[in-house]
Amino acid sequence: MKNKTKNDKLDPKFKHFMLQEIYAQPQAAMEAVTHYLSPENQEKAIAGIALDEKHLRELERVVILASGTSRHAGMVGEFMIERLARLPVDVDFASQYCYRDPLAEPNGLAVLLSQSGTTADTLLALYEAKAKGARTIAICNVEDAPLAREADGVLYTHAGKEIAVAATKSFTAQLTALFALGVHLGHTRRTLTTHETREHLDSLMQLPEKIEAALGCGELTHKCAVSMKDATSFLFLGRDISYPIALEGALKLKETSYIHAEGMPTGEMKHGPNAMVDERMPVVMLLTRNAMDAGSNLRWEKSMVLLEQVAARGVHVNAVACMEDAEAVAKHAAMVFAVPSAPALLLPVLEIIPLQLLAYHIAVLRGVNVDKPRNLSKSVTVE
Ligand code: AGP
């Protein structure tokens, strides 16, 4: 995969690379899906994963190592791989893993996630995982980057060159790759039937169109940004697989707007954070669900109870919900960013879109140089 030159140029339709890259996500997802799925490869999930099937069948554990936004993608991947391939998965900060003398991993797979493939912490984690005997696979956006070269296998994310410091399209591309990896592992390890594998791959193929529909909330996120831009602290809440998206929404806001923000699991509110939330602290709740999935429905119902309670105290809650639920959620939420419904494991890809847009608009309204926020660089090559 060559990162195409056209990604280096700012289209006059957009004011910043970050916005251009947010809107490039349907195309980036399409690129990834096309690479992973060829018509002849309908049952294998991923073309060219470069790890032998015997080893994948004997795997006992997966560890996902990454930094920043890539680690949040890895946290979503933990749910995907555990549910699709029934394998225990741990996710660690690359910067922590390389110093904690981890246990030997003779039947382990270490997945190293990095947009740039040059992050020093993630490279050190790769060397540590190898030293402990794990097989390694890099999920990387830049062809032939050090991480891609040194891992046993590589899965490129095909998002094209990303220029803005804040990762957006590379994040959704990582989620796409992790889902494909989960399906591949599930198929190889026979935790998924051929029929289930096909269904998951069909859902993957529908993803670009759904991302396009999720981008429809652009104007509303701008309106929300206008009313929220002076807040000094935000709380993002997500349950289950949406929790890493709450973390990522908070990180996007912190790095682009310099506003304090935290991401929390929705179910933890009553264990402490509820005390600090008042009308001065806007809350963003992730409330998507797949109505065909009992677990997803149950989680949604529980989160709706919390929404009602928090909103009744006068807290300003904005929500991301599926289009079918927008009306019900709007009874309590100030604004609802509506996204299409999807299988539960793919909803995070849609949930992050309004949060990226919200962070972008708030940053621009506050006068931040959004493509190059202070004190940060695109590639962190020193520890
Ligand atoms: C993302 O918006 C951040 N700029 C940062 O957290 C980044 O994800 C992290 O430094 C890891 O980078 P990588 O994916 O290139 O390894």
Side-chain angles (χ1 to χ4, degrees):
M1 193 265 313
K2 287 265 182 265
N3 287 327
K4 295 173 190 124
T5 343
K6 64 179 182 194
N7 291 301
D8 289 341
K9 301 238 157 42
L10 186 62
D11 185 320
K13 273 200 309 218
F14 300 103
K15 278 201 185 129
H16 302 98
F17 279 107
M18 182 176 171
L19 193 62
Q20 176 166 301
E21 287 161 4
I22 291 173
Y23 278 90
Q25 289 178 106
Q27 193 200 330
M30 177 64 89
E31 190 79 21
V33 169
T34 314
H35 274 89
Y36 301 148
L37 312 176
S38 61
E40 315 79 65
N41 196 43
Q42 284 288 298
E43 283 172 20
K44 292 257 178 173
I46 295 184
I49 187 171
L51 285 180
D52 71 272
E53 293 199 2
K54 182 172 173 291
H55 178 256
L56 295 184
R57 269 191 226 109
E58 287 167 2
L59 276 185
E60 286 169 12
R61 206 170 91 86
V62 175
V63 58
I64 301 181
L65 305 167
S67 310
T69 288
S70 294
R71 190 183 65 93
H72 297 153
M75 290 172 74
V76 176
E78 176 181 8
F79 287 89
M80 291 171 166
I81 295 171
E82 281 192 359
R83 289 184 187 161
L84 294 166
R86 307 309 295 160
L87 264 169
V89 182
D90 275 331
V91 184
D92 204 350
F93 294 91
S95 59
Q96 290 275 93
Y97 181 85
C98 51
Y99 292 109
R100 76 166 213 232
D101 190 18
L103 300 177
E105 302 275 8
N107 283 326
L109 176 68
V111 179
L112 290 300
L113 273 167
S114 173
Q115 185 286 129
S116 61
T118 51
T119 302
D121 294 313
T122 312
L123 274 164
L124 287 175
L126 169 76
Y127 303 143
E128 184 64 26
K130 280 188 151 186
K132 296 293 178 184
R135 299 276 292 168
T136 55
I137 177 165
I139 297 186
C140 184
N141 196 42
V142 177
E143 190 183 6
D144 214 26
L147 195 77
R149 278 201 306 270
E150 302 211 24
D152 300 314
V154 57
L155 200 55
Y156 286 113
T157 39
H158 304 286
K161 186 162 184 167
E162 190 174 64
I163 294 191
V165 165
T168 53
K169 63 177 181 172
S170 64
F171 176 70
T172 45
Q174 285 171 338
L175 299 184
T176 309
L178 284 161
F179 183 81
L181 176 63
V183 175
H184 183 78
L185 288 171
H187 183 72
T188 309
R189 295 166 58 80
R190 313 221 199 295
T191 53
L192 295 176
T193 63
T194 300
H195 175 71
E196 286 165 337
T197 302
R198 287 222 174 99
E199 278 190 342
H200 288 305
L201 299 183
D202 284 348
S203 310
L204 199 56
M205 286 195 273
Q206 289 164 22
L207 199 56
E209 210 177 297
K210 293 191 180 211
I211 298 175
E212 187 75 59
L215 284 164
C217 61
E219 241 174 73
L220 192 61
T221 55
H222 180 260
K223 196 170 156 205
C224 182
V226 171
S227 65
M228 307 272 96
K229 70 177 184 359
D230 297 320
T232 52
S233 194
F234 273 74
L235 182 62
F236 290 78
L237 295 174
R239 201 180 279 276
D240 194 66
I241 198 170
S242 297
Y243 164 53
I245 300 303
L247 291 176
E248 176 59 9
L251 177 62
K252 284 288 88 87
L253 191 64
K254 283 187 270 202
E255 69 177 334
T256 61
S257 302
Y258 317 151
I259 297 177
H260 169 258
E262 275 192 67
M264 299 254 175
T266 308
E268 286 299 298
M269 270 293 270
K270 291 190 171 163
H271 301 291
N274 226 350
M276 71 172 174
V277 175
D278 61 18
E279 58 290 342
R280 285 166 303 171
M281 183 192 259
V283 172
V284 180
M285 274 187 88
L286 299 169
L287 280 164
T288 64
R289 65 165 160 176
N290 176 359
M292 311 295 282
D293 178 321
S296 178
N297 278 331
L298 184 64
R299 294 190 287 272
W300 184 82
E301 279 160 19
K302 298 208 160 157
S303 300
M304 283 295 285
V305 173
L306 191 93
L307 165 68
E308 214 175 315
Q309 290 168 351
V310 174
R313 298 204 319 254
V315 176
H316 193 102
V317 189
N318 296 302
V320 181
C322 289
M323 288 161 179
E324 304 85 283
D325 291 324
E327 214 180 304
V329 174
K331 288 194 179 128
H332 309 287
M335 285 187 200
V336 181
F337 309 119
V339 300
S341 187
L345 292 178
L346 289 172
L347 284 169
V349 184
L350 306 173
E351 284 178 336
I352 192 59
I353 308 286
L355 306 193
Q356 293 170 342
L357 285 163
L358 184 63
Y360 168 80
H361 288 305
I362 293 181
V364 172
L365 289 164
R366 287 168 69 100
V368 173
N369 177 0
V370 74
D371 285 338
K372 285 190 179 156
R374 66 189 180 197
N375 309 333
L376 297 175
S377 57
K378 186 68 184 158
S379 169
V380 185
T381 53
V382 287
E383 280 183 83

